[in-house]
């Protein structure tokens, strides 16, 4: 592989240059880099893209490349033909890349001219190598104006363009929620937000997003409005629920501007924007979504062990993206939910149809992104053929689905596009223009003629030779060629008199003469031009065909949506049949009644039949006899969290239109799902686990409504027993008295079961104790749990038997003390039942410790092993004991 001539020039200049003096090529590099400070500059030198200075240091670290030096400058390089792999990796690291090519003739004298021809950024990348087929590639923008925040995001590869807004005062919950669900690859912000604490905190949690800041004047409302009008070719934006003052306008307009300036495309296929309000979808804050592990697990962020995994039977990339978006945006409108359910049911009831479409979907490529490539003039002939094959398969699927309300587009148009491509493009065309053949024979008479000439040079020359032989009677007349003269007619000297007048003598040799004719010159010209003409004509014809297809971009995008919808509904049907799920009855009530409910993910990963199904019946309807608040107690590992989550997931599944893992389900559509489970550490933000726990709890109490579904697991666990119990108690009361929403509240504080409220029911996880053998039955039953069995779990986890024995001893002692402490304080806990509006929590609980400091010290002395201690440890212990008893 060759480094460029410039590299050699530079090398020689370098050798003559004074130390520290820059070579011309380095000067050229520096001047281009000056204009592209925010990008990694891929500087083309021969067969390599080279990076220098800071770019080289950073890229060599990120991509694990060898760092070398050119003079004093650090340098690293990648072969140009492998660039896409490296670019893809840099984009994943959130980098922007400027591609600087040699545009002058590399063989010309002097320094080759170079220019940045393309800027690739994570949110504007168009090539499939840079994209994740199953997820949208969003570029997002947030602006604040007059107390309102506008948020817009666009996937230019699919034309999905969304916007929403909220009051600045709701910034904290809304920004992280929106970022969490659309998960943009790149975010554009006004400089004024560089110091906004809420924005910066959210970004800290989402470090993989590439963020860039622009002066605030860029986000101009009226220019943006005009920009959107021009893009959508409308006179106003009423059709998109926007006007001149809408907060969504500035960020949406800026996105289009950025796209044009950066990716140099004005994305003609982006012809509209969907503005949505929170009320259209089930609201879920970022942490609830993470806790429920909907599209990714908490452990490594992959989709393994997530709800998405159970449902992932989609076959097309469009279906994969739509399924993801359904899971992130569950519906609140019952009619819409039922519409989806009916389509899922149609497939469930007709397995032949399900299998038929499932199989054909496997042969449908990403029509959405292909249509985008066509519209942006990026599609090559193979893309166009892929579009054709996919449309053909879709037409077969359509035949079966057209009568069932899946399709609304014209079928004829798809047939016409298929026919057009079929007639014009070869089955297996070359990718790049000029690399081989693309257009079919018979499509263009002109092209066919050039090909005839190109493919039949010998025959054409033979025919002409025969013609002249017949006309002149010279039988040994030959047409030959050489590189110097080109084609010529050779006639031996003996036949010289028979040579006609139109033969022009080119060269006289000893035994023969060489002639040409006007006709031969013409033939020679045609042969010489044929190859070039073929390439040029093919190019013109292909571009013409591509722009003909581009006229139907909207239709193709609409078709892609129909395919995605049919793929997702059939995939949900597939999951329902595979896992034995049922169609839930969804209405506008506030009921939540599940018989035989299961956790879809836990069940999937347990051996078949091992998951124990559980029921639930709660209702926030005023006249309902059911409670709306279930307090669930039970030992650790008994299955409380699983039970809580499974019910939240069932609600969510029902509201995306899916069947649910249960025997029977009646679900009143919920407006919000909150899930406060476990204690997630947020040390990166500098917040303690407990602070995070309380922040999330506060958010729930502030925003839940009567139509919400709240699951809370072990609230208050992050602090001392007394604090924790008091908080759990007060939170429960607030939920019961003020919010009155459906709540599942799991706790290990047995004292909470003393809460008394008509809308509260006690549930617990059943445990069987037989002859010293404890078994968690994972079955929910009415009532309160009696024991926490923590020591049993510790023993299962393999703690030494001596420790287990000792723990049992301590437990017995503690239980005696605790029983008396709790009975003494039951009265004071009852006083916590204040009305929720009052919420006076601070001093109302004063629980004494369950055991005294002396008891604690005594326990520690008894359990420590002096033989297994260094003198220093022993000294520390004595100091600690002294400190804890010194207050007495
Ligand atoms: P807890 O919250 O009470 O500590 P978990 O919900 O974390 O308990 O459950 C502990 C384990 O028990 C889970 O990892 C799961 O494997 C198993 N489990 C929970 N519920 C069930 C069930 N209904 N059927 C079968 N196994 C279950």
């Amino acid at each position: 592989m060759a480094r460029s001539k410039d590299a050699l020039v530079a090398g020689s200049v370098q050798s003559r240059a004074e130390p520290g003096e820059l070579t011309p090529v380095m000067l050229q590099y520096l001047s281009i880099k000056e204009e592209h400070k925010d990008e990694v500059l891929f500087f083309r030198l021969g067969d390599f893209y080279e990076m220098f200075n800071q770019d080289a240091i950073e890229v060599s670290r990120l991509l694990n490349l060898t760092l070398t030096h050119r003079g004093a400058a650090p340098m690293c390089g990648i072969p140009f033909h492998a660039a896409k792999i490296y670019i893809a990796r840099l984009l994943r690291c959130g980098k922007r890349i400027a591609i600087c090519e040699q545009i002058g003739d590399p063989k010309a004298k002097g320094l080759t001219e170079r220019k940045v021809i393309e800027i690739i950024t994570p949110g504007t990348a168009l090539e499939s190598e840079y994209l994740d087929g199953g997820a949208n590639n969003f570029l997002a923008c947030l602006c604040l104006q007059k107390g309102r925040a506008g948020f817009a995001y666009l996937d230019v590869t699919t034309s999905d363009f969304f916007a929403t807004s909220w009051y600045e005062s709701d910034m904290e919950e809304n920004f992280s929620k929106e970022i969490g669900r659309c998960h943009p690859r790149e975010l554009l912000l006004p400089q004024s937000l560089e110091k906004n604490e809420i924005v910066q905190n959210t970004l800290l949690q989402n470090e993989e997003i590439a963020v860039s800041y622009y002066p605030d004047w860029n986000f101009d409302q009226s220019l943006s409005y005009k920009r959107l009008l021009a893009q959508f070719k409308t006179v106003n934006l009423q059709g998109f629920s926007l006007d001149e003052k809408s907060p969504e306008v500035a960020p949406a307009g800026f996105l289009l501007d950025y796209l044009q300036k950066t990716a140099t495309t004005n994305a003609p296929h982006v012809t509209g924007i969907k503005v949505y309000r929170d009320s259209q979808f089930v609201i879920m804050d970022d942490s609830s979504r993470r806790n429920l592990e909907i599209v990714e697990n908490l452990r490594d962020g992959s989709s393994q062990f997530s709800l998405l995994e159970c449902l992932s039977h989609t076959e097309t990339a469009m279906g994969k993206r739509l399924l993801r978006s359904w899971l992130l945006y569950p519906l609140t409108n019952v009619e819409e939910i039922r519409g989806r359910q009916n389509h899922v049911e149609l497939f469930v009831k007709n397995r032949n149809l399900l299998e038929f479409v499932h199989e054909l979907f496997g042969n449908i490529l990403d029509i959405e992104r292909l249509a985008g490539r066509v519209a942006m003039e990026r599609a090559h002939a193979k893309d166009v053929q892929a579009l054709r094959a996919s449309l053909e398969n879709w037409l077969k699927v359509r035949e079966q689905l057209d009568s069932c309300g899946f399709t609304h587009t014209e079928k004829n148009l798809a047939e016409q596009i298929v026919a057009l491509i079929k007639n014009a493009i070869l089955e297996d065309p070359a990718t790049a223009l000029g690399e081989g053949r693309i257009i079919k024979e018979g499509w263009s008479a002109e092209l066919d003629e050039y090909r005839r000439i190109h493919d039949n040079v010998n025959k054409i020359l033979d025919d002409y030779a025969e013609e002249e032989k017949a006309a002149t009677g010279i039988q040994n007349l030959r047409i030959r060629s050489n590189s110097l003269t080109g084609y010529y007619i050779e006639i031996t000297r003996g036949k010289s008199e028979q040579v006609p007048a139109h033969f022009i003598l080119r060269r006289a040799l000893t035994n023969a003469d060489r002639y040409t004719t006007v006709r031969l010159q013409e033939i020679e010209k045609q042969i010489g031009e044929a190859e070039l003409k073929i390439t040029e004509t093919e190019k013109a014809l292909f571009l013409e065909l591509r722009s003909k297809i581009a006229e139907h971009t909207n239709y193709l995008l609409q078709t892609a949506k129909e395919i995605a919808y049919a793929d997702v509904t059939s995939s949900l049907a597939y999951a329902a049949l595979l896992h034995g799920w049922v169609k839930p009855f969804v209405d506008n009530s506030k009921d939540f009644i599940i018989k035989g409910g299961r956790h879809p993910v836990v069940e999937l990963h347990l051996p078949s039949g091992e998951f124990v199904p559980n029921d639930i019946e709660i209702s926030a309807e005023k006249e309902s006899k059911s409670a709306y608040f279930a307090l669930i107690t039970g030992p650790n590992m008994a299955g409380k969290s699983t039970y809580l989550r499974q019910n939240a997931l069932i609600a969510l599944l029902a509201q995306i239109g899916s069947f649910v893992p249960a025997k029977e389900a009646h679900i009143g559509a919920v407006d919000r799902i909150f899930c406060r489970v476990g204690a997630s550490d947020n040390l990166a933000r500098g917040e303690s686990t407990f602070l995070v726990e309380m922040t999330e709890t506060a958010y729930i109490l502030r925003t839940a409504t009567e139509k919400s579904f709240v699951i809370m697991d072990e609230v208050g666990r992050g602090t001392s027993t007394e604090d924790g119990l008091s908080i759990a108690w007060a939170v429960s009361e607030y939920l019961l008295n003020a919010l009155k929403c459906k709540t599942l509240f799991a706790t290990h504080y047995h004292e909470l079961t003393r809460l008394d409220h008509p809308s509260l029911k006690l549930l617990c996880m059943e445990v069987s104790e037989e002859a010293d053998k404890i078994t968690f039955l994972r079955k929910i039953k009415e009532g309160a749990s009696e024991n926490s069995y923590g020591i049993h779990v510790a023993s299962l986890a393999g703690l030494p038997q001596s420790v287990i024995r000792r723990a049992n001893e301590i437990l017995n002692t503690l239980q005696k003390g605790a029983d008396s402490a709790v009975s003494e304080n039951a009265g004071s806990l009852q006083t916590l039942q204040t009305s929720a509006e009052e919420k006076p929590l601070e001093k109302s609980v004063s629980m004494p410790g369950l055991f005294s400091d002396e008891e604690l010290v005594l326990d520690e002395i008894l359990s420590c092993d002096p033989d297994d201690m260094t003198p220093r440890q022993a000294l520390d212990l004595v100091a600690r004991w002294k400190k804890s008893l010194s207050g007495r």
Side-chain angles (χ1 to χ4, degrees):
M1 194 165 296
R3 300 271 163 166
S4 92
K5 168 182 73 71
D6 280 341
L8 300 176
V9 171
S12 59
V13 172
Q14 187 77 52
S15 60
R16 277 184 273 118
E18 293 296 315
E21 202 175 311
L22 291 169
T23 60
V25 77
M26 272 311 277
L27 284 170
Q28 185 188 40
Y29 168 83
L30 289 175
S31 94
I32 295 174
K33 179 67 196 171
E34 183 64 25
E35 306 244 305
H36 293 278
K37 289 195 184 105
D38 296 335
E39 285 94 36
V40 171
L41 184 63
F42 271 39
F43 190 72
R44 183 73 179 265
L45 276 173
D47 292 337
F48 283 79
Y49 286 118
E50 306 285 6
M51 280 142 276
F52 297 100
N53 301 335
Q54 201 47 41
D55 279 356
I57 295 171
E58 196 175 5
V59 170
S60 66
R61 183 177 52 79
L62 290 173
L63 304 185
N64 210 5
L65 298 176
T66 312
L67 190 66
T68 57
H69 284 85
R70 173 192 284 265
M75 167 177 129
C76 70
I78 51 169
F80 88 97
H81 61 76
K84 279 189 175 170
I85 302 167
Y86 293 97
I87 294 174
R89 284 169 59 194
L90 284 176
L91 289 172
R92 276 200 292 279
C93 300
K95 295 281 155 207
R96 302 154 55 92
I97 297 119
I99 309 285
C100 174
E101 288 293 355
Q102 301 173 166
I103 54 162
D105 177 5
K107 292 194 193 101
K109 262 188 151 190
L111 189 65
T112 310
E113 197 184 343
R114 289 185 174 79
K115 208 172 140 196
V116 169
I117 52 140
E118 192 180 9
I119 295 176
I120 309 169
T121 74
T124 61
L126 300 173
E127 300 298 322
S128 53
E129 288 86 345
Y130 309 147
L131 303 169
D132 171 358
N136 273 109
N137 200 68
F138 283 122
L139 169 72
C141 177
L142 170 80
C143 295
L144 285 189
Q145 258 170 18
K146 300 187 183 126
R148 302 269 292 164
F151 184 66
Y153 47 103
L154 165 67
D155 180 347
V156 67
T157 65
T158 63
S159 84
D160 287 320
F161 197 5
F162 299 98
T164 189
S165 63
W166 56 82
Y167 286 101
E168 203 179 328
S169 49
D170 300 329
M171 189 71 179
E172 188 152 9
E173 50 227 46
N174 280 301
F175 184 53
S176 66
K177 180 186 73 197
E178 292 298 341
I179 288 285
R181 63 182 174 184
C182 80
H183 212 82
R185 297 275 304 271
E186 187 175 358
L187 175 67
L188 315 175
L189 293 173
Q191 265 165 0
S192 55
L193 291 181
E194 223 165 336
K195 297 220 163 63
N196 182 303
E197 206 181 321
I198 297 173
V199 171
Q200 295 308 321
N201 273 342
T202 302
L203 295 181
L204 257 179
Q205 304 290 303
N206 294 279
E207 278 176 332
E208 63 293 346
I209 301 174
V211 185
S212 39
Y213 297 89
Y214 297 86
D216 285 39
W217 52 261
N218 281 288
F219 303 80
D220 182 275
Q221 184 79 7
S222 83
L223 282 181
S224 283
Y225 187 78
K226 286 188 195 129
R227 182 77 188 76
L228 291 170
L229 290 184
Q231 180 76 30
F232 303 154
K233 300 191 174 62
T234 50
V235 286
N236 59 45
L237 298 179
Q238 277 168 15
F240 307 105
S241 317
L242 293 173
D243 60 34
E244 282 101 327
K245 296 202 176 88
S246 306
E248 293 89 350
V249 166
F254 185 70
L255 286 180
L256 293 173
D257 233 27
Y258 177 82
L259 203 61
Q260 181 147 43
K261 285 187 189 130
T262 309
T264 51
T265 172
N266 54 6
H269 58 308
V270 178
T271 52
I273 185 166
K274 282 195 196 103
V275 178
Y276 61 89
R277 302 279 162 250
D278 252 355
S279 56
Q280 283 171 263
F281 305 111
V282 176
I283 300 174
M284 243 184 300
D285 59 289
D286 196 37
S287 110
S288 294
R289 194 174 26 249
R290 282 175 204 245
N291 283 332
L292 284 173
E293 304 187 296
I294 295 167
V295 293
E296 54 190 37
N297 69 37
L298 279 169
R299 204 167 25 91
D300 63 6
S302 74
S303 66
Q304 245 203 331
F305 300 102
S306 70
L307 182 60
L308 177 63
E309 189 195 19
C310 302
L311 304 174
S312 273
H313 299 289
T314 44
E315 290 288 335
T316 68
M318 298 157 281
K320 280 188 178 52
R321 291 194 292 270
L322 186 67
L323 176 61
R324 210 184 162 81
S325 122
W326 280 17
L327 282 168
L328 295 171
Y329 299 82
L331 299 173
T332 49
N333 182 302
V334 171
E335 288 314 309
E336 280 180 62
I337 295 170
R338 288 183 181 166
R340 287 185 187 175
Q341 277 185 340
N342 291 341
H343 281 132
V344 176
E345 189 175 35
L346 193 127
F347 284 117
V348 168
K349 287 190 169 158
N350 189 343
R351 288 191 194 198
N352 287 337
L353 176 66
L354 175 62
E355 260 159 44
F356 173 77
V357 300
H358 207 65
E359 202 176 312
L360 282 178
F361 278 144
N363 299 326
I364 294 182
L365 297 177
D366 198 341
I367 293 186
E368 201 166 32
R369 283 190 168 148
L370 287 170
R373 289 174 64 76
V374 168
M376 288 185 285
E377 300 176 351
R378 293 221 165 209
H380 46 64
K382 276 199 181 353
D383 286 338
V384 171
Q385 270 301 8
L387 186 66
R388 194 264 314 149
S390 303
L391 283 176
E392 266 182 336
N393 281 312
W394 169 236
L395 281 166
K396 286 186 207 153
V397 176
R398 269 192 79 143
E399 267 178 37
Q400 307 295 318
L401 297 184
D402 274 356
S403 57
C404 316
F406 281 91
T407 50
H408 307 282
T409 51
E410 273 279 325
K411 187 170 141 199
N412 295 353
L413 205 43
E415 287 167 345
Q416 283 168 26
I417 297 171
V418 167
L420 181 71
I421 301 171
K422 223 174 181 169
N423 292 335
I425 309 277
L426 287 166
E427 268 305 299
D428 186 19
T431 310
L433 296 160
E435 263 181 17
R437 297 200 165 179
I438 287 178
I439 304 287
K440 252 191 182 169
E441 221 177 294
W443 181 250
S444 150
E446 192 190 355
L447 178 65
D448 288 351
E449 177 57 16
Y450 293 131
R451 282 189 181 152
R452 193 188 63 75
I453 295 169
H454 182 265
D455 296 347
N456 295 293
V457 172
N458 289 341
K459 171 136 190 352
I460 293 167
L461 292 170
D462 287 351
D463 286 353
Y464 178 54
E466 288 307 315
E467 243 176 67
E468 292 292 4
K469 271 184 203 169
T472 59
I474 307 171
Q475 286 311 310
N476 63 354
L477 173 155
R478 298 261 177 283
I479 295 180
R480 297 210 157 101
S481 74
N482 66 28
S483 58
L484 207 69
T485 339
Y487 290 104
Y488 55 83
I489 301 171
E490 194 169 87
I491 294 174
T492 51
R493 270 289 157 81
K495 304 282 180 189
S496 294
E497 315 86 72
Q498 285 170 256
V499 172
H502 69 277
F503 275 40
I504 307 153
L505 183 67
R506 274 282 178 84
R507 201 157 176 208
L509 304 174
T510 330
N511 300 323
D513 291 325
R514 290 177 180 176
Y515 298 88
T516 185
T517 64
V518 174
R519 175 98 170 89
L520 183 62
Q521 281 169 341
E522 238 170 56
I523 291 175
E524 185 168 11
K525 191 166 165 238
Q526 280 178 347
I527 291 171
E529 282 177 358
E531 196 159 329
L532 184 69
K533 287 279 186 192
I534 289 172
T535 315
E536 277 177 8
T537 319
E538 277 212 312
K539 185 174 174 187
L541 290 169
F542 177 72
L543 296 186
E544 188 192 350
L545 176 102
R546 193 171 67 184
S547 56
K548 259 196 198 142
I549 303 172
E551 286 167 19
H552 306 299
T553 305
N554 271 340
Y555 172 80
L556 290 171
L557 291 172
Q558 204 50 42
T559 300
K561 295 269 178 264
E562 288 178 357
I563 295 171
Y565 181 85
D567 191 14
V568 174
T569 43
S570 64
S571 163
L572 293 178
Y574 198 92
L577 286 167
L578 192 68
H579 308 307
W581 295 357
V582 296
K583 180 181 176 184
F585 174 69
V586 181
D587 61 9
N588 275 318
S589 72
K590 297 187 195 111
D591 297 331
F592 189 77
I593 305 165
I594 310 292
K595 299 256 183 310
R598 284 119 57 202
H599 190 299
V601 185
V602 176
E603 183 180 38
L604 186 68
H605 292 281
L606 281 180
S608 173
E610 275 198 13
F611 192 90
V612 182
N614 275 308
D615 302 344
I616 184 156
E617 179 163 352
I618 48 174
S619 174
E621 289 289 335
K622 284 201 175 62
E623 51 292 340
S624 168
K625 287 195 201 91
S626 294
Y628 49 76
F629 187 108
L631 185 75
I632 299 136
T633 46
N636 266 331
M637 287 294 288
K640 297 186 300 300
S641 298
T642 308
Y643 180 69
L644 256 55
R645 286 167 190 238
Q646 90 186 24
N647 286 307
L649 292 179
I650 287 174
L652 185 133
L653 279 171
Q655 291 191 234
I656 69 165
S658 169
F659 280 28
V660 299
K663 271 211 181 108
E664 233 181 280
H666 172 188
I667 294 162
V670 303
D671 64 352
R672 291 156 189 260
I673 296 177
F674 297 98
C675 174
R676 171 64 231 154
V677 175
S680 55
D681 248 315
N682 231 335
L683 297 178
R685 260 206 248 166
E687 291 171 352
S688 79
T689 308
F690 182 62
L691 180 61
V692 174
E693 189 181 324
M694 286 302 108
T695 310
E696 290 176 6
T697 307
Y699 171 67
I700 297 177
L701 299 190
R702 245 190 4 258
T703 47
T705 75
E706 273 191 14
K707 290 209 77 170
S708 303
F709 190 76
V710 176
I711 68 171
M712 286 204 171
D713 196 359
E714 303 286 12
V715 164
R717 178 164 58 183
T719 182
S720 74
T721 311
E722 294 121 8
D723 273 3
L725 172 57
S726 311
I727 291 168
W729 192 292
V731 167
S732 304
E733 282 185 347
Y734 194 82
L735 285 159
L736 273 161
N737 295 326
L739 299 176
K740 300 186 174 140
C741 50
K742 286 166 283 194
T743 305
L744 304 184
F745 197 109
T747 183
H748 67 283
Y749 296 122
H750 291 262
E751 295 82 347
L752 264 191
T753 57
R754 292 161 199 252
L755 251 171
D756 187 19
H757 194 286
S759 289
L760 174 134
K761 75 155 89 171
L762 297 180
L763 297 177
C764 67
M765 304 306 297
E766 213 172 320
V767 178
S768 111
E769 270 181 278
E770 275 172 22
D772 261 10
K773 189 168 179 301
I774 294 165
T775 316
F776 294 153
L777 299 177
R778 266 96 216 198
K779 196 82 197 153
I780 199 92
K781 64 170 186 180
E782 301 240 338
S785 137
E786 271 135 37
N787 209 330
S788 75
Y789 302 98
I791 298 175
H792 171 68
V793 176
S795 153
L796 286 181
L799 248 62
Q801 274 314 304
S802 59
V803 176
I804 298 294
R805 252 196 321 278
R806 178 64 195 135
N808 272 317
E809 280 167 32
I810 299 173
L811 181 69
N812 286 336
T813 326
L814 292 182
Q815 270 174 346
K816 280 179 211 140
D819 283 349
S820 54
V822 167
S823 57
E824 271 170 34
N825 284 282
S828 73
L829 286 171
Q830 293 293 344
T831 63
L832 272 170
Q833 285 202 30
T834 51
S835 85
E837 287 73 35
E838 295 167 35
K839 298 177 275 161
L841 189 64
E842 306 82 40
K843 296 224 167 66
S844 50
V845 194
S846 69
M847 291 263 298
L850 293 179
F851 32 84
S852 68
D853 290 339
E854 285 93 336
E855 277 175 306
L856 282 175
V857 170
L858 203 62
D859 272 336
E860 224 172 331
I861 295 172
L862 286 173
S863 59
C864 75
D865 181 1
D867 295 335
D868 194 25
M869 230 180 251
T870 64
R872 174 76 218 191
Q873 284 168 333
L875 213 57
D876 284 348
L877 268 181
V878 174
R880 187 146 56 77
W881 292 332
K882 182 151 193 266
K883 194 171 165 209
S884 66
L885 298 179
S886 61
R888 308 198 55 89

